[in-house]
Amino acid sequence: MSVDDGATDLDPLVKGWSGTVTLYDVARASGVHPSTVSRALDPTKHSRVKAETRERIIRVADELGYRPDLVARSLQSGRTGTVGVILADIGNTFITPLVHGIAAALESSRAMPTIAETQDDHARMLNILDHMLSRRVDGIVAVAARAADQQALEAAAKVVPVVLASRPLEETQLVMATHDDHEGGRLVAEHLYQLGHRTVAQLLGPNDVLNFPRRAEGFRQVVSDRGLHELTVDVCAERPVTEEGERLMELLLDNSPHLPTGVFAHNDLMALGALSVLRRRGLRVPEDISLLGCNDLPLVGHLTPPLSTVRLRPLELGKVAGDMVVRMLSGEQPASVSLGVSLIPRGSSRRLDGADRP
Amino acid sequence: MSVDDGATDLDPLVKGWSGTVTLYDVARASGVHPSTVSRALDPTKHSRVKAETRERIIRVADELGYRPDLVARSLQSGRTGTVGVILADIGNTFITPLVHGIAAALESSRAMPTIAETQDDHARMLNILDHMLSRRVDGIVAVAARAADQQALEAAAKVVPVVLASRPLEETQLVMATHDDHEGGRLVAEHLYQLGHRTVAQLLGPNDVLNFPRRAEGFRQVVSDRGLHELTVDVCAERPVTEEGERLMELLLDNSPHLPTGVFAHNDLMALGALSVLRRRGLRVPEDISLLGCNDLPLVGHLTPPLSTVRLRPLELGKVAGDMVVRMLSGEQPASVSLGVSLIPRGSSRRLDGADRP
DNA sequence: CTGTTAGCGCTTTCAC
DNA sequence: GTGAAAGCGCTAACAG
């Protein structure tokens, strides 16, 4: 509490009021050199200072309410202990566990996530990358990658470790943690086939978010292998959201010569949109049309009918992705990972009346 | 591209590879003093440098891929251009627009939000506050305040501007942007009364998140004014989540002498939990029991039945809160704000059979 | 075990 | 209009 020697400038107490107690204040107040304080307070170098002095320093430090300035430390050390996490949309409940997974993995290396949102807009992505690099993040997990962002992400990867999570990119050296979307599409088509459906359709997600064309591909592979008939509309969603699901469902209904009996919306939000259009038009799900989504968002099991969907593993994916950056921070070069997915049959898909198998 | 003069150390190009081009590199490569570069690149001091030199500097800067080091700048300036946003749970879709509102307001002052999550855990709140202060955020918007956090938040407020958003605290000097929860509770009770309900119940949210006791109070005021009968269970939720809604609904059903005809779950997630319990027990909503929530989450209108609920205005609230910190950053001391709420009647609440009014 | 010195990258007086 | 020098708060050699 007492500033004994003739310290020239501000009284630590006064500075305490304004919230700025520095290492120098602690040093002065405990009669040692700043670097000794630095050592005493650094768990790593704990030992190199006499137990007695150390305790005194620690006591003085928290009497004064000293709080290390991470900004200064970062400037000195070149590391901020911060990993940028780039999301498309915080509102998508699919990414919540993903973020938690990333955070959990980062915790192990005492790093903290810094979240930013692209709104699926390329310009925003550029801004965010630029800003994060200026902020000197130690690494980046990009959950919002679109085809257009590829170049920028690869450029960023020359500066800091970059991991692509959930959304892959084509022909890139970037490390990726993704789901097997091809398999997801396959599972849905196969499910419909097994239930006796022969005329099916897809509500396509944005083409430049690779997950969606891959789901489409998987689906089409079964369509072709099993000899199904796929009704198509020549358009895909701009963004993978409810409103686009509505738009596409309406297009499908308006432009098809006849109705499909099974529809695969490329994600749950789009399925939700499709559902309200169907309801509005007096078509029942699943009696008239079976509808499936993808992602298994928390609420879709509570819908009426509960939505059949493809279950992803966002928490695990986040952990894997977070782990990857952490490892890259210590020089490793982890291999990309693709997680398996599973189909969750619920009330929105059902066996077609008159289907030939039990 | 060419480093003409006999620069002693690293070739900027080489440094460029490692992503670290400093002001000095730009200065050297364009034959001026670092401070001139600083001025040339600072929009504010743009003018104080000859147009010709400035253009050259700018050109060289981006040829070299110069990126200002925000960490260094922050150390020098004492401001990080960063506002800490403390949430309870990113997964709660209610806070998405809230965060967007905050971000939008911050954008006006070129600040960026830094998001952290307490999980409604006091210890985490302490950690986060400490970390944010160490990171030298310019201000804090706390959306996750619980009664236990009050002291810590007030302490933080001595260091940087702190705004409480959405969750108020009792008897505090902290600036707040909140909804009128008392009114919310009142609206629900009055709605039930108008529909002919006379025996009602609440599923109480956590007591130390002040919104909930206030909703309870508003509700009880009408109960008392209108002479309704309120069935009570002597327990409130630990956290305002679906599982707790289930638990409380079960307690209510198991411990009440008879059933209420109208139930107010203190938020939509708890209502969701209550709904599945009711369904599981063969009770129909709204035929047997009318159920209301609070928040008007995006999906609850799509449920079956669509949930009657209290609509809040999170986007607006976020803007207000963000605006408040921004103003506090320039020395103002804005007054607290309370936003109005409205009742959205939907399918989950209905006129009681045999109710005496049309 | 502790003090000295230098410097991370930038901005900002103060000179010229 | 530009250069010189100091310093933000901290850590990390290097001495002693």
Side-chain angles (χ1 to χ4, degrees):
Chain A
M1 278 299 134
S2 61
V3 186
D4 33 32
D5 59 42
T8 48
D9 47 10
L10 288 138
D11 180 336
L13 213 54
V14 173
K15 299 186 77 176
W17 289 350
S18 68
T20 310
V21 178
T22 77
L23 212 55
Y24 284 80
D25 299 322
V26 179
R28 212 175 312 134
S30 44
V32 294
H33 193 270
S35 57
T36 307
V37 177
S38 173
R39 284 187 283 255
L41 265 32
D42 179 347
T44 317
K45 309 190 169 99
H46 231 224
S47 42
R48 290 187 219 165
V49 42
K50 206 201 313 180
E52 190 189 343
T53 5
R54 190 204 324 161
E55 278 160 25
R56 178 161 40 95
I57 290 173
I58 291 180
R59 188 169 41 71
V60 170
D62 67 35
E63 263 170 16
L64 257 42
Y66 169 71
R67 211 185 298 275
D69 186 323
L70 262 28
V71 175
R73 186 178 288 173
S74 295
L75 178 59
Q76 153 67 33
S77 68
R79 324 181 82 253
T80 53
T82 273
V83 170
V85 175
I86 309 182
L87 309 173
D89 170 18
I90 342 176
N92 187 337
T93 49
F94 166 70
I95 58 90
T96 306
L98 187 6
V99 171
H100 287 167
I102 295 172
L106 293 185
E107 210 150 316
S108 73
S109 80
R110 320 192 55 44
M112 277 210 76
T114 285
I115 297 172
E117 212 182 0
T118 63
Q119 237 86 265
D120 265 324
D121 178 63
H122 180 56
R124 293 185 70 103
M125 170 65 94
L126 295 182
N127 269 332
I128 288 170
L129 282 174
D130 202 62
H131 189 89
M132 284 183 168
L133 293 178
S134 273
R135 272 259 137 73
R136 300 296 187 249
V137 296
D138 294 336
I140 291 177
V141 178
V143 192
R146 302 191 131 218
D149 306 325
Q150 179 151 358
Q151 214 187 351
L153 285 165
E154 284 169 350
K158 309 214 156 167
V159 185
V160 296
V162 171
V163 169
L164 260 34
S166 184
R167 294 188 181 175
L169 287 175
E170 211 97 75
E171 299 183 18
T172 181
Q173 303 289 349
L174 294 173
V175 181
M176 303 189 266
T178 53
H179 284 111
D180 186 344
D181 287 298
H182 188 89
E183 176 70 1
R186 256 190 24 74
L187 287 175
V188 172
E190 188 66 24
H191 173 70
L192 288 171
Y193 172 74
Q194 295 297 343
L195 293 180
H197 294 264
R198 295 296 175 265
T199 305
V200 296
Q202 300 187 70
L203 305 182
L204 305 172
N207 239 318
D208 59 345
V209 175
L210 277 189
N211 307 74
F212 300 112
R214 293 199 178 165
R215 283 173 200 167
E217 242 175 71
F219 190 91
R220 288 202 178 113
Q221 186 191 307
V222 174
V223 164
S224 136
D225 289 357
R226 298 295 199 178
L228 305 183
H229 177 50
E230 179 181 355
L231 300 172
T232 59
V233 281
D234 197 24
V235 55
C236 66
E238 297 289 328
R239 299 178 48 226
V241 295
T242 313
E243 298 76 44
E244 288 290 282
E246 297 190 23
R247 185 169 70 90
L248 264 58
M249 191 72 222
E250 275 169 350
L251 282 172
L252 181 66
L253 294 177
D254 292 342
N255 295 308
S256 295
H258 49 280
L259 292 179
T261 64
V263 172
F264 173 34
H266 275 187
N267 76 12
D268 289 343
L269 291 179
M270 292 175 65
L272 221 64
L275 192 60
S276 32
V277 168
L278 291 172
R279 190 162 292 160
R280 207 179 302 145
R281 302 234 181 161
L283 290 164
R284 293 159 308 161
V285 176
E287 290 77 2
D288 300 319
I289 290 189
S290 285
L291 178 67
L292 288 99
C294 183
N295 279 18
D296 194 26
L297 296 184
L299 284 186
V300 300
H302 292 278
L303 294 175
T304 310
L307 190 67
S308 300
T309 188
V310 177
R311 174 169 295 168
L312 272 34
R313 293 143 66 190
L315 179 66
E316 197 175 343
L317 189 78
K319 282 185 184 162
V320 169
D323 225 67
M324 282 171 161
V325 245
V326 168
R327 275 152 57 198
M328 289 168 84
L329 287 176
S330 48
E332 288 180 57
Q333 187 63 20
S336 291
V337 168
S338 171
L339 296 183
V341 302
S342 50
L343 190 114
I344 309 292
R346 286 198 273 243
S348 71
S349 58
R350 67 155 204 169
R351 176 166 305 282
L352 205 59
D353 288 335
D356 41 358
R357 324 178 175 210
Chain B
M1 278 299 130
S2 62
V3 185
D4 33 32
D5 60 40
T8 48
D9 47 9
L10 288 139
D11 181 337
L13 211 57
V14 173
K15 299 186 77 177
W17 288 350
S18 67
T20 310
V21 178
T22 77
L23 209 57
Y24 283 80
D25 299 321
V26 179
R28 212 175 311 137
S30 45
V32 294
H33 193 269
S35 58
T36 307
V37 178
S38 173
R39 284 187 282 257
L41 264 31
D42 179 347
T44 317
K45 317 206 163 80
H46 232 223
S47 40
R48 291 186 217 166
V49 42
K50 208 200 314 179
E52 189 188 344
T53 7
R54 191 206 320 162
E55 277 160 27
R56 181 161 38 93
I57 291 174
I58 291 180
R59 189 169 39 70
V60 170
D62 68 34
E63 264 172 11
L64 257 43
Y66 169 71
R67 210 187 298 274
D69 187 323
L70 262 28
V71 174
R73 185 178 289 175
S74 296
L75 179 59
Q76 153 66 34
S77 67
R79 325 182 84 250
T80 53
T82 273
V83 170
V85 175
I86 310 182
L87 309 173
D89 171 18
I90 345 176
N92 187 339
T93 49
F94 165 70
I95 59 91
T96 306
L98 187 6
V99 170
H100 287 166
I102 295 172
L106 294 184
E107 211 150 313
S108 73
S109 79
R110 321 191 54 47
M112 277 210 78
T114 285
I115 297 171
E117 212 183 2
T118 62
Q119 238 82 267
D120 265 326
D121 178 63
H122 179 57
R124 294 185 71 103
M125 170 64 93
L126 295 183
N127 269 334
I128 289 169
L129 282 175
D130 202 63
H131 189 89
M132 285 183 168
L133 293 179
S134 274
R135 272 257 138 73
R136 300 295 186 248
V137 295
D138 294 336
I140 291 178
V141 178
V143 192
R146 301 191 130 217
D149 306 325
Q150 179 151 358
Q151 213 188 352
L153 286 165
E154 285 169 351
K158 310 216 156 165
V159 185
V160 297
V162 171
V163 169
L164 260 33
S166 184
R167 294 188 181 175
L169 286 176
E170 212 97 75
E171 300 184 18
T172 181
Q173 303 291 349
L174 294 173
V175 181
M176 303 187 267
T178 53
H179 283 110
D180 186 345
D181 286 299
H182 187 90
E183 176 70 1
R186 255 191 25 74
L187 287 175
V188 172
E190 189 65 26
H191 173 71
L192 287 172
Y193 172 74
Q194 295 296 342
L195 292 180
H197 294 264
R198 294 298 175 263
T199 305
V200 296
Q202 301 187 71
L203 305 182
L204 305 173
N207 238 319
D208 59 346
V209 175
L210 276 189
N211 308 75
F212 301 112
R214 293 200 179 166
R215 282 174 200 167
E217 243 175 68
F219 190 91
R220 288 202 178 115
Q221 186 190 307
V222 174
V223 164
S224 135
D225 289 357
R226 298 296 199 178
L228 304 182
H229 177 50
E230 180 182 356
L231 299 171
T232 58
V233 281
D234 195 24
V235 55
C236 66
E238 297 287 329
R239 298 178 48 226
V241 296
T242 313
E243 299 76 43
E244 288 289 283
E246 297 191 22
R247 186 169 70 90
L248 264 56
M249 192 71 221
E250 275 170 348
L251 281 172
L252 180 66
L253 294 177
D254 291 343
N255 295 307
S256 294
H258 49 280
L259 292 179
T261 64
V263 172
F264 173 34
H266 276 187
N267 77 10
D268 289 344
L269 292 178
M270 292 175 66
L272 222 65
L275 191 60
S276 30
V277 169
L278 291 172
R279 190 162 289 159
R280 209 179 301 144
R281 303 234 181 161
L283 291 164
R284 294 159 306 161
V285 175
E287 290 77 3
D288 299 318
I289 290 189
S290 284
L291 178 66
L292 288 100
C294 182
N295 280 17
D296 195 26
L297 296 184
L299 284 186
V300 300
H302 291 278
L303 294 175
T304 310
L307 190 67
S308 300
T309 189
V310 177
R311 175 169 294 168
L312 271 34
R313 294 141 68 190
L315 179 66
E316 198 175 342
L317 189 77
K319 283 185 184 161
V320 169
D323 226 67
M324 282 172 163
V325 244
V326 167
R327 276 153 57 200
M328 289 169 84
L329 287 176
S330 49
E332 288 180 58
Q333 188 63 20
S336 291
V337 168
S338 171
L339 296 183
V341 302
S342 50
L343 190 114
I344 309 293
R346 285 198 276 243
S348 70
S349 57
R350 66 155 204 166
R351 175 165 305 282
L352 204 59
D353 287 337
D356 40 358
R357 324 178 176 209

